[in-house]
Amino acid sequence: MLTPPDHVIVIFGANGDLARRKLLPAFYHLEEEGLMPKDYRIIGNSRSEMSDEEFRNFALESAGEFCRRPVRDEVWARFSQRLTYVAHDLSPDDAHPVVDAVQNAEAALGSDCRRLYYLSVPPAAFSAITQAVGATGLSTRARLVIEKPFGWDLQSFLELRDTVSEVLDESQIYRIDHFLGKETVQNILALRFANGIFEPVWNRHHIDHVQIDVPETLGIGGRASFYEATGALRDMIVTHLFQVLAFVAMEPPTSLAPNPLMDESAKVFESMVVLRPEDVVHGQYRGYRDEAGVAADSGTETYAAVRVCIDNWRWAGVPFFLRTGKRMAESRQSVTLVFKEPPRRMFKEVLGDGMEQNYLSLELGENEGIVVAFLAKLPGTSIELAPARMSFDYEGSFGSELIEAYERLLLDALIGDRTLFTRADGLERTWEIVEPILKHPPDVELYEQESWGPEAGQRLIAPRRWRLPETF
């Protein structure tokens, strides 16, 4: 693993939920593992007043609550001394406190150090911060990490893209999607392209359909203002699930370098057919409108299921079903490829109706791993078949702790590896695909909390059915 060069890191929105839950614990873990630069400074920034010591206490509480292991005193002692804080509402006309903080940090590190800016702020603030970075000369030797959502629709994405490109070139922009940092998502590439048993059947001749399923038991928490303006389609489908779909559906890249990989992802998006009303189901859990900050007549979807068609040689005729929702029966993150049924003349009487199809499932959640389901003969004198499976999990097989997605992506940003980040042309196309639905969204269908969503979601996939956890 490459050691990142010395860095000044600025977290905009450093007192927010993302910084507390993910960013500060991730940077601490990287320090603990010896993966941070030899020398660096982390500058927290937000509007809220906070001293350096208060910011360090905030970071310590974050690490204590969200780190996988107890905080080690000796690691914290050296990590905390690299943390400082600036309370300032950054704008192109008034950026001096942040500029001073960066310059002071660089005076300690040396003038050839790199700069990494993380925009952990609402999308409405992206443009002002980016313009301030350009107006103050902070864009040199810099990389900018942008959190999703990358706009709210096609027009807002184009405006954001143009604003950012006025300050930075594409090689400096790191649009982060933490799903791409998951070990199992990356393993899709290894599974397909490194194993001769999978790639020959990874096509329309052998695969009946693909499911990408991310139900959640959680509700919206305290994010009503964000969720009311976003909804499940923007929050999950356009960002995370479309990106995972690209890894599943792409053609073999010439290499795993950033540009070839992004090229193949972009080709998948270009081949995706624009969504029609009959391809989309919106749902809303009962009680959502009673949540604090939610309009009494809200039509925001807390559930979205879509059917995606890819019009290319490999996938023509193979539907991709994507589903996500809040307050559902169980939380999971999975990709399932369901294989076509083979001719079964010799087993017709034995099998009967309703027997499970063969499938390959990749679990992306806490228990990351791979499951292959098939039919096997039951022991005995007669021929009887029953579902069987083989499973693989990372920690059980390799005996090592997985690097968390944000840790992996932050490290990649520090070393300048854009392989697992997204590119503007691909994102523009994803907004084009959903634009008709955003302009004319379907009515939401109510569903019970702790269920598997509205009945329309089942009808969307029929006569097939969603793979539920108990079937694995």
Side-chain angles (χ1 to χ4, degrees):
M1 179 65 73
L2 294 173
T3 300
D6 293 349
H7 260 82
V8 175
I9 301 164
V10 183
I11 303 175
F12 295 102
N15 66 338
D17 193 60
L18 177 64
R20 183 174 71 91
R21 290 176 173 270
K22 296 294 183 181
L23 304 183
L24 291 168
F27 280 125
Y28 168 81
H29 271 145
L30 291 174
E31 172 66 31
E32 185 177 34
E33 296 295 331
L35 297 174
M36 286 296 282
K38 182 179 179 181
D39 205 358
Y40 62 94
R41 299 292 185 273
I42 297 177
I43 302 169
N45 170 254
S46 74
R47 298 177 180 178
S48 303
E49 291 293 334
M50 193 183 300
S51 67
D52 289 350
E53 195 58 34
E54 287 172 330
F55 180 56
R56 289 165 184 159
N57 289 335
F58 175 78
L60 178 58
E61 292 173 2
S62 301
E65 184 174 359
F66 296 107
C67 283
R68 298 188 297 269
R69 298 184 295 270
V71 175
R72 292 164 51 192
D73 291 343
E74 66 275 16
V75 178
W76 180 255
R78 65 175 184 263
F79 178 73
S80 63
Q81 292 307 305
R82 304 175 191 271
L83 303 178
T84 58
Y85 183 84
V86 178
H88 186 65
D89 189 5
L90 189 70
S91 71
D93 300 322
D94 185 14
H96 296 301
V98 175
V99 174
D100 291 345
V102 171
Q103 290 176 344
N104 290 338
E106 290 181 341
L109 298 180
S111 59
D112 59 344
C113 65
R114 300 285 313 189
R115 298 163 175 169
L116 182 71
Y117 308 122
Y118 199 110
L119 301 191
S120 179
V121 295
F126 288 176
S127 294
I129 292 176
T130 304
Q131 288 171 340
V133 166
T136 56
L138 293 179
S139 59
T140 57
R141 308 189 314 279
R143 301 184 184 111
L144 182 73
V145 182
I146 306 178
E147 265 289 339
K148 64 95 177 173
F150 311 107
W152 303 100
D153 54 19
L154 178 59
Q155 183 60 38
S156 62
F157 168 78
L158 294 175
E159 291 172 358
L160 175 61
R161 180 202 63 186
D162 292 345
T163 297
V164 174
S165 64
E166 290 174 0
V167 177
L168 304 164
D169 63 50
E170 181 67 18
S171 66
Q172 294 177 281
I173 303 168
Y174 288 67
R175 301 173 190 86
I176 192 169
D177 187 328
H178 74 270
F179 263 56
L180 298 188
K182 291 177 176 291
E183 198 75 39
T184 310
V185 173
Q186 298 165 51
N187 199 48
I188 294 171
L189 303 177
L191 190 74
R192 287 186 59 187
F193 303 133
N195 295 289
I197 62 173
F198 292 119
E199 179 57 20
V201 298
W202 208 277
N203 56 57
R204 61 188 171 88
H205 299 296
H206 301 280
I207 293 176
D208 177 79
H209 71 283
V210 179
Q211 299 179 23
I212 302 176
D213 199 14
V214 186
E216 299 178 275
T217 57
L218 297 175
I220 61 170
R223 301 194 307 154
S225 60
F226 167 80
Y227 210 80
E228 275 286 89
T230 308
L233 184 70
R234 287 184 176 94
D235 186 38
M236 292 293 294
I237 301 288
V238 182
T239 53
H240 303 318
L241 274 60
F242 275 3
Q243 296 300 326
V244 175
L245 181 153
F247 271 44
V248 174
M250 70 170 56
E251 293 299 316
T254 55
S255 75
L256 295 182
N259 283 337
L261 199 61
M262 291 179 180
D263 287 344
E264 296 304 330
S265 292
K267 290 177 185 177
V268 172
F269 297 137
E270 286 297 327
S271 299
M272 289 168 61
V273 177
V274 173
L275 293 181
R276 306 164 300 171
E278 58 265 35
D279 296 321
V280 181
V281 173
H282 280 178
Q284 185 185 95
Y285 65 79
R286 294 187 184 275
Y288 172 74
R289 295 173 186 175
D290 299 326
E291 302 272 11
V294 173
D297 59 349
S298 173
T300 299
E301 77 281 3
T302 63
Y303 169 103
V306 304
R307 175 176 51 222
V308 175
C309 298
I310 301 177
D311 188 14
N312 64 17
W313 187 260
R314 182 182 291 266
W315 295 113
V318 179
F320 284 67
F321 296 99
L322 283 56
R323 179 176 71 166
T324 186
K326 299 287 189 183
R327 296 289 189 195
M328 295 185 70
E330 292 190 37
S331 290
R332 59 188 293 237
Q333 300 172 3
S334 66
V335 175
T336 302
L337 295 92
V338 180
F339 292 91
K340 292 183 177 181
E341 296 185 10
R344 287 175 170 169
R345 294 177 188 147
M346 69 180 73
F347 293 115
K348 185 175 181 180
E349 294 182 2
V350 176
L351 287 170
D353 296 323
M355 187 61 75
E356 291 290 322
Q357 288 177 258
N358 302 150
Y359 62 81
L360 170 69
S361 186
L362 297 97
E363 291 297 321
L364 314 179
E366 292 184 0
N367 301 314
E368 295 188 64
I370 302 169
V371 173
V372 178
F374 55 97
L375 295 174
K377 178 185 175 299
L378 288 170
T381 57
S382 61
I383 296 180
E384 295 183 49
L385 302 185
R389 69 177 192 172
M390 294 185 294
S391 61
F392 158 83
D393 70 275
Y394 280 90
E395 293 192 20
S397 297
F398 294 123
S400 60
E401 195 172 52
L402 295 178
I403 186 170
E404 202 269 343
Y406 270 98
E407 297 169 29
R408 169 63 184 266
L409 294 172
L410 288 172
L411 178 59
D412 285 350
L414 289 170
I415 64 177
D417 186 344
R418 299 179 68 238
T419 303
L420 299 177
F421 293 84
T422 56
R423 200 169 68 186
D425 56 345
L427 291 171
E428 180 180 348
R429 176 57 183 166
T430 61
W431 284 117
E432 291 175 354
I433 292 164
V434 300
E435 185 76 357
I437 306 303
L438 297 179
K439 288 183 175 179
H440 304 286
D443 293 336
V444 295
E445 181 175 321
L446 297 180
Y447 63 95
E448 299 296 331
Q449 297 188 36
E450 300 183 2
S451 73
W452 286 108
E455 282 301 315
Q458 309 301 325
R459 294 194 295 271
L460 180 72
I461 197 172
R464 306 167 180 92
R465 60 191 179 89
W466 296 101
R467 317 302 297 192
L468 301 182
E470 59 266 23
T471 67
F472 286 87

